[in-house]
mmCIF file of all heavy atoms in Angstrom:
data_model
loop_
_atom_site.group_PDB
_atom_site.id
_atom_site.type_symbol
_atom_site.label_atom_id
_atom_site.label_comp_id
_atom_site.label_asym_id
_atom_site.label_seq_id
_atom_site.Cartn_x
_atom_site.Cartn_y
_atom_site.Cartn_z
ATOM 1 N N SER A 1027 3.962 -71.563 259.764
ATOM 2 C CA SER A 1027 2.888 -72.304 260.431
ATOM 3 C C SER A 1027 3.225 -72.592 261.895
ATOM 4 O O SER A 1027 2.375 -72.433 262.782
ATOM 5 C CB SER A 1027 2.627 -73.626 259.712
ATOM 6 O OG SER A 1027 2.225 -73.387 258.392
ATOM 7 N N VAL A 1028 4.454 -73.008 262.144
ATOM 8 C CA VAL A 1028 4.871 -73.285 263.528
ATOM 9 C C VAL A 1028 4.805 -72.008 264.365
ATOM 10 O O VAL A 1028 4.317 -72.014 265.499
ATOM 11 C CB VAL A 1028 6.295 -73.895 263.557
ATOM 12 C CG1 VAL A 1028 6.867 -73.906 264.959
ATOM 13 C CG2 VAL A 1028 6.274 -75.292 262.978
ATOM 14 N N GLY A 1029 5.274 -70.905 263.799
ATOM 15 C CA GLY A 1029 5.192 -69.632 264.508
ATOM 16 C C GLY A 1029 3.758 -69.228 264.796
ATOM 17 O O GLY A 1029 3.438 -68.762 265.896
ATOM 18 N N GLY A 1030 2.874 -69.424 263.832
ATOM 19 C CA GLY A 1030 1.463 -69.107 264.037
ATOM 20 C C GLY A 1030 0.816 -69.974 265.097
ATOM 21 O O GLY A 1030 -0.002 -69.502 265.893
ATOM 22 N N ILE A 1031 1.189 -71.239 265.132
ATOM 23 C CA ILE A 1031 0.639 -72.151 266.151
ATOM 24 C C ILE A 1031 1.100 -71.723 267.540
ATOM 25 O O ILE A 1031 0.312 -71.719 268.495
ATOM 26 C CB ILE A 1031 1.056 -73.605 265.844
ATOM 27 C CG1 ILE A 1031 0.313 -74.098 264.613
ATOM 28 C CG2 ILE A 1031 0.803 -74.514 267.036
ATOM 29 C CD1 ILE A 1031 0.823 -75.409 264.066
ATOM 30 N N ILE A 1032 2.361 -71.342 267.659
ATOM 31 C CA ILE A 1032 2.869 -70.910 268.968
ATOM 32 C C ILE A 1032 2.182 -69.626 269.413
ATOM 33 O O ILE A 1032 1.793 -69.487 270.575
ATOM 34 C CB ILE A 1032 4.403 -70.738 268.925
ATOM 35 C CG1 ILE A 1032 5.079 -72.100 268.755
ATOM 36 C CG2 ILE A 1032 4.912 -70.047 270.185
ATOM 37 C CD1 ILE A 1032 6.562 -72.029 268.513
ATOM 38 N N ILE A 1033 2.006 -68.685 268.482
ATOM 39 C CA ILE A 1033 1.356 -67.419 268.841
ATOM 40 C C ILE A 1033 -0.099 -67.650 269.255
ATOM 41 O O ILE A 1033 -0.596 -67.031 270.193
ATOM 42 C CB ILE A 1033 1.432 -66.432 267.654
ATOM 43 C CG1 ILE A 1033 2.865 -65.959 267.475
ATOM 44 C CG2 ILE A 1033 0.512 -65.237 267.866
ATOM 45 C CD1 ILE A 1033 3.091 -65.122 266.237
ATOM 46 N N ALA A 1034 -0.769 -68.564 268.563
ATOM 47 C CA ALA A 1034 -2.189 -68.785 268.820
ATOM 48 C C ALA A 1034 -2.470 -69.806 269.913
ATOM 49 O O ALA A 1034 -3.629 -70.133 270.162
ATOM 50 C CB ALA A 1034 -2.872 -69.227 267.533
ATOM 51 N N SER A 1035 -1.440 -70.318 270.582
ATOM 52 C CA SER A 1035 -1.676 -71.348 271.593
ATOM 53 C C SER A 1035 -2.501 -70.790 272.750
ATOM 54 O O SER A 1035 -2.323 -69.650 273.173
ATOM 55 C CB SER A 1035 -0.352 -71.912 272.105
ATOM 56 O OG SER A 1035 0.290 -70.966 272.899
ATOM 57 N N PRO A 1036 -3.410 -71.606 273.276
ATOM 58 C CA PRO A 1036 -4.323 -71.129 274.327
ATOM 59 C C PRO A 1036 -3.693 -71.045 275.714
ATOM 60 O O PRO A 1036 -4.300 -70.492 276.625
ATOM 61 C CB PRO A 1036 -5.452 -72.159 274.313
ATOM 62 C CG PRO A 1036 -4.811 -73.402 273.799
ATOM 63 C CD PRO A 1036 -3.750 -72.949 272.844
ATOM 64 N N ILE A 1037 -2.472 -71.567 275.882
ATOM 65 C CA ILE A 1037 -1.836 -71.507 277.203
ATOM 66 C C ILE A 1037 -0.879 -70.324 277.260
ATOM 67 O O ILE A 1037 -0.419 -69.833 276.231
ATOM 68 C CB ILE A 1037 -1.085 -72.816 277.525
ATOM 69 C CG1 ILE A 1037 -0.010 -73.101 276.465
ATOM 70 C CG2 ILE A 1037 -2.051 -73.983 277.613
ATOM 71 C CD1 ILE A 1037 0.882 -74.270 276.802
ATOM 72 N N ALA A 1038 -0.583 -69.875 278.457
ATOM 73 C CA ALA A 1038 0.336 -68.751 278.634
ATOM 74 C C ALA A 1038 1.765 -69.228 278.391
ATOM 75 O O ALA A 1038 2.226 -70.197 278.994
ATOM 76 C CB ALA A 1038 0.200 -68.190 280.043
ATOM 77 N N LEU A 1039 2.435 -68.545 277.489
ATOM 78 C CA LEU A 1039 3.816 -68.898 277.163
ATOM 79 C C LEU A 1039 4.721 -67.724 277.518
ATOM 80 O O LEU A 1039 4.271 -66.572 277.572
ATOM 81 C CB LEU A 1039 3.939 -69.200 275.665
ATOM 82 C CG LEU A 1039 3.168 -70.421 275.179
ATOM 83 C CD1 LEU A 1039 3.223 -70.500 273.664
ATOM 84 C CD2 LEU A 1039 3.748 -71.689 275.770
#
Side-chain angles (χ1 to χ4, degrees):
S1027 299
V1028 167
I1031 289 169
I1032 292 172
I1033 289 173
S1035 72
I1037 59 173
L1039 295 172

